[in-house]
Amino acid sequence: MAKSLPVSPLAPPRFPDLPQIAGVRFASVEAGVRYKGRRDVMLAALQPGTAIAGTFTRSATRSAPVLDCQAKLGRANGDGAAILVNAGNANAFTGTRGVEAVEDVTASVARELGIAQDRVFTSSTGVIGELLNAERITCRLAELHGGLTADGIADAARAIMTTDTFPKGATAEVTLPGGTVKIAGIAKGSGMIAPDMATMLVYIFTDAEVPQPLLQQMLSDLTDRTFNCITVDSDTSTSDTLILAATGASGVAVGESEGPFCDALHGVMLDLAQQVVRDGEGATKFVEIQVSGAASPSDAKTHAMAIANSPLVKTAIAGQDPNWGRVVMAIGKSGAAADRDLLSIWFGDTLIAEKGWVSPEYQEADAAAHMKEQNILIRVDLGLGDGSATVWTCDLTHGYIDINADYRS
Amino acid sequence: MAKSLPVSPLAPPRFPDLPQIAGVRFASVEAGVRYKGRRDVMLAALQPGTAIAGTFTRSATRSAPVLDCQAKLGRANGDGAAILVNAGNANAFTGTRGVEAVEDVTASVARELGIAQDRVFTSSTGVIGELLNAERITCRLAELHGGLTADGIADAARAIMTTDTFPKGATAEVTLPGGTVKIAGIAKGSGMIAPDMATMLVYIFTDAEVPQPLLQQMLSDLTDRTFNCITVDSDTSTSDTLILAATGASGVAVGESEGPFCDALHGVMLDLAQQVVRDGEGATKFVEIQVSGAASPSDAKTHAMAIANSPLVKTAIAGQDPNWGRVVMAIGKSGAAADRDLLSIWFGDTLIAEKGWVSPEYQEADAAAHMKEQNILIRVDLGLGDGSATVWTCDLTHGYIDINADYRS
């Protein structure tokens, strides 16, 4: 069982006021899947015509619910739809009985709500390798159905937490030629103390009317610039799931040219992604890494991720040490193109290194002052081309070891 | 300056008795490059005809001495040769003045010993981004020259340490049709508490007579099975250097078919590589990861390294937690081919998972008992093909954070 952790020092001051999204209702219950005395199952019911898009972990050992969701994406929107999520058990690496549990739950939800089974999407997060007792969920479906309410999203955000230290939500409103639409999303991750990897689940809802192929395209593009640009510890879950549902209830259509909707969705996704980093296991610093001047955008991201995932860079940040030598090391090992003698490195606004050596004006006191802040910026210019990328991470502290080593499941 | 660390609990009981290798003599001095009160510069002088082979870091930001060594490899053996190593300053990311320092040192050594400058190889290990004061080394060359002795290798092993907690040596003797030859090697790494990456330096000497191209081929092949199969924290140094010198002084020639010599050299290299892991920063467990049944040998190594580098696997080992779910996760994220339902996993001799789920006979107490040992074995079979690989690593503990975050340079 989980022991309770102090709320991350990087948490936002409070959970945001999320608006009701027309066409979606939420319910959550204490089903006792693993945790006691807290909500651990949430249901979202979506009106007929809702378009659903998703992105998922690329793990070769992905969980049964992930495989089931992937198989169902892109089907016709005519019917209503549902998303059911449980916390406490990931239903991953559970063989054919794991597949049967997904089948049980999705069939039962379809029956309860009177919708097609291939419009029921599930996620499971928590311990892996243990069987999911589907009955603990299916026996509560009538109660969940009866409890569906348009303002249940905040409780839903809490029901999907495993050992997150705070619930995560974000919202946006955008005015289009046809009217105003709303977006609201919730996420969980990355503060696990159960004996598993940091799984990430994200659900975003909008009352905009968006054709499913366009919705999927937007989601995939924006995922590459948001959730695929964060890292806590370089370990990838078997269960990562991001589902975006557009109910169309506003009657406002989003066409291919609707940049403002895309921008608003980007803002919600980036906010949620950064909240996941802010709840990184043991995190005390929020770190943005900007790379420019790379030979290509993918080289820029490779360098940025090499810096963000380096244990030596992350421990230096934890120690408030402006250790730019470790940034040089991470760039050197990344495998992407770099020329030592064209590199420039800044910590905050302080230029530290240029032309292959420390800058003549560099005063360590300036960089050291920046390292004492809670939000750290590391900026690198490769001097090779136009490729750029920005990623976000946190530091590596004793808290990470406490959570993942000292605590035995 | 370094604070002193307790000797690793994984250290061998004592430094081995290394034999004299005919054709090579050693000297070391307290030059005060950075450390006080200890030897920090070593010189090895090699007789004319010595063949020299080397492997080096692939970092794009490699240090000036590494680039200089790489440029010199493969030249004619006629002249004598020398290896000079300093600890305390890595001469990495030091621009043109770093290149000048290498030029100063190698020219001075060549002049002192009366050999060609392109037969002088240097390494520097320690702080990066600070200028190497070459004069602290060059002013001691006469003393080093005068102090050369055939039995100086143990002092040399100590002189190249940075914050290693023990000196590292290994030896072998092998009888060939033409007579008996000896091999002796020394290494440093990976217990840095200076503000840098864990650099690794290795020097191996033999009195066998081996043509340089064959020596280089043997070294490169064996490096892939030894030093390229260890990891402490996934971070790659700017300075990693491995030099193998064959003096030929035994008069015993090693031809292409000399398997026994290759096996003996493999044994010395593996021993030194494993000693580096045993001195991994904060290590309390020595971990062997065996992967079999992969689609190819390179897939096997990719899986093995993904497991060995996973912070979640490494913290679970530190916590003595038989957390096989994290091994599944690491295989899933590695990018190499895997089929969840064909995977088998053992901790020690205990079969934990097979056919995509926990084995019916598995008792957690068996695996938990193995995790309490100091030497941990994780074995994975992919069930896909004949590819196999073995790699070695250590656990991730509070000690790693202490060394790299809490200690400020």
Side-chain angles (χ1 to χ4, degrees), chain A residues 174-178 209-211 214 218 253-263:
Chain A
V174 54
T175 301
L176 302 174
E209 191 183 322
V210 194
L214 174 62
M218 275 184 186
V254 171
E256 302 238 2
S257 61
E258 302 297 356
F261 179 79
C262 206
D263 290 347

Side-chain angles (χ1 to χ4, degrees), chain A residues 60 62 93 195 197 234-236 310-312 315 321 323-324 328-329 332-333 340 357 364 398 402 405-406 408, chain B residues 60-62 93 195 197 233-236 310 312 315 323-324 329 332-333 340 357 364 398 402 405-406 408:
Chain A
R62 64 196 80 160
F93 212 68
M197 60 290 311
S234 82
D235 275 341
T236 305
S310 161
L312 287 169
T315 49
D321 178 2
N323 196 323
W324 56 275
V328 173
M329 175 280 301
K333 76 162 182 170
R340 187 191 59 192
W357 196 37
E364 182 163 298
H398 284 290
D402 284 335
D406 297 350
R408 176 73 177 83
Chain B
T61 55
R62 64 196 80 162
F93 211 70
M197 59 290 311
D233 56 6
S234 81
D235 275 339
T236 304
S310 160
L312 287 169
T315 49
N323 196 322
W324 56 275
M329 176 282 299
K333 76 162 181 168
R340 188 190 59 192
W357 196 37
E364 183 163 298
H398 284 291
D402 284 336
D406 297 351
R408 178 72 176 86

Side-chain angles (χ1 to χ4, degrees), chain A residues 189-203:
Chain A
S190 305
M192 309 252 336
I193 57 167
D196 306 305
M197 60 290 311
T199 58
M200 195 188 73
L201 300 179
V202 186
Y203 305 93

Side-chain angles (χ1 to χ4, degrees), chain B residues 92-396:
Chain B
F93 211 70
T94 45
T96 52
R97 293 175 68 187
V99 176
E100 287 162 15
V102 174
E103 175 67 21
D104 271 7
V105 170
T106 55
S108 301
V109 171
R111 204 177 310 120
E112 177 67 35
L113 299 184
I115 60 177
Q117 191 177 348
D118 70 2
R119 293 277 286 164
V120 180
F121 299 85
T122 67
S123 304
S124 296
T125 179
V127 180
I128 85 164
E130 287 182 14
L131 276 187
L132 175 65
N133 184 340
E135 209 217 326
R136 291 205 183 153
I137 297 170
T138 54
C139 73
R140 309 301 291 273
L141 289 176
E143 184 186 345
L144 281 162
H145 189 182
L148 285 169
T149 166
D151 62 2
I153 194 169
D155 281 341
R158 286 181 184 89
I160 63 174
M161 290 167 68
T162 52
T163 49
D164 300 57
T165 74
F166 61 88
K168 298 162 189 75
T171 184
E173 195 174 281
V174 54
T175 300
L176 302 173
T180 296
V181 299
K182 294 171 184 156
I183 304 171
I186 56 176
K188 64 109 355 190
S190 306
M192 309 252 337
I193 59 168
D196 307 303
M197 59 290 311
T199 57
M200 195 188 72
L201 300 178
V202 186
Y203 305 94
I204 302 175
F205 305 91
T206 176
D207 54 8
E209 190 183 322
V210 194
Q212 200 279 339
L214 174 62
L215 195 70
Q216 183 66 48
Q217 183 63 49
M218 274 184 187
L219 184 67
S220 298
D221 291 349
L222 292 174
T223 297
D224 278 342
R225 293 157 54 196
T226 55
F227 291 100
N228 286 352
C229 289
I230 63 172
T231 178
V232 168
D233 56 6
S234 81
D235 275 339
T236 304
S237 161
T238 53
S239 307
D240 291 335
T241 293
L242 163 53
I243 289 178
L244 168 61
T247 66
S250 66
V252 180
V254 171
E256 301 239 3
S257 60
E258 303 296 357
F261 179 79
C262 206
D263 290 347
L265 180 60
H266 180 225
V268 169
M269 289 172 66
L270 188 60
D271 188 348
L272 290 172
Q274 293 187 349
Q275 287 188 52
V276 171
V277 171
R278 288 180 177 280
D279 209 4
E281 292 174 327
T284 67
K285 305 274 188 186
F286 178 81
V287 185
E288 177 164 313
I289 295 163
Q290 298 176 353
V291 172
S292 60
S296 68
S298 89
D299 266 19
K301 189 159 171 191
T302 300
H303 283 304
M305 278 294 187
I307 297 166
N309 280 323
S310 160
L312 287 169
V313 171
K314 293 163 87 81
T315 49
I317 294 168
Q320 307 194 138
D321 178 2
N323 196 322
W324 56 275
R326 293 182 182 176
V327 175
V328 173
M329 176 282 299
I331 292 165
K333 76 162 181 168
S334 80
D339 181 331
R340 188 190 59 192
D341 297 337
L342 296 175
L343 266 185
S344 303
I345 300 171
W346 293 258
F347 279 12
D349 294 328
T350 303
L351 174 64
I352 298 184
E354 58 180 339
K355 299 180 190 134
W357 196 37
V358 67
S359 166
E361 280 91 50
Y362 175 57
Q363 302 284 334
E364 183 163 298
D366 299 337
H370 179 67
M371 300 310 285
K372 291 197 185 350
E373 294 176 18
Q374 195 172 66
N375 293 309
I376 303 295
L377 172 64
I378 297 177
R379 194 147 60 88
V380 171
D381 190 275
L382 277 298
L384 293 173
D386 292 330
S388 66
T390 300
V391 307
W392 297 273
T393 190
C394 56
D395 53 345
L396 173 57

Side-chain angles (χ1 to χ4, degrees), chain A residues 194-327:
Chain A
D196 306 305
M197 60 290 311
T199 58
M200 195 188 73
L201 300 179
V202 186
Y203 305 93
I204 303 175
F205 305 91
T206 176
D207 53 7
E209 191 183 322
V210 194
Q212 201 278 340
L214 174 62
L215 194 71
Q216 183 65 49
Q217 183 63 50
M218 275 184 186
L219 183 68
S220 298
D221 291 349
L222 292 174
T223 297
D224 278 342
R225 292 156 56 197
T226 54
F227 291 100
N228 286 352
C229 289
I230 62 172
T231 178
V232 169
D233 57 7
S234 82
D235 275 341
T236 305
S237 162
T238 53
S239 306
D240 291 335
T241 294
L242 162 53
I243 290 177
L244 168 61
T247 65
S250 66
V252 179
V254 171
E256 302 238 2
S257 61
E258 302 297 356
F261 179 79
C262 206
D263 290 347
L265 180 59
H266 180 227
V268 168
M269 289 171 66
L270 189 60
D271 188 347
L272 290 172
Q274 293 189 348
Q275 287 188 52
V276 171
V277 170
R278 289 182 176 279
D279 209 5
E281 292 174 326
T284 68
K285 305 273 189 185
F286 178 81
V287 186
E288 176 164 313
I289 295 164
Q290 299 176 354
V291 173
S292 62
S296 68
S298 88
D299 266 20
K301 188 160 173 193
T302 300
H303 283 304
M305 278 294 188
I307 298 166
N309 280 324
S310 161
L312 287 169
V313 171
K314 293 162 87 81
T315 49
I317 294 168
Q320 306 194 138
D321 178 2
N323 196 323
W324 56 275
R326 293 182 181 174
V327 175

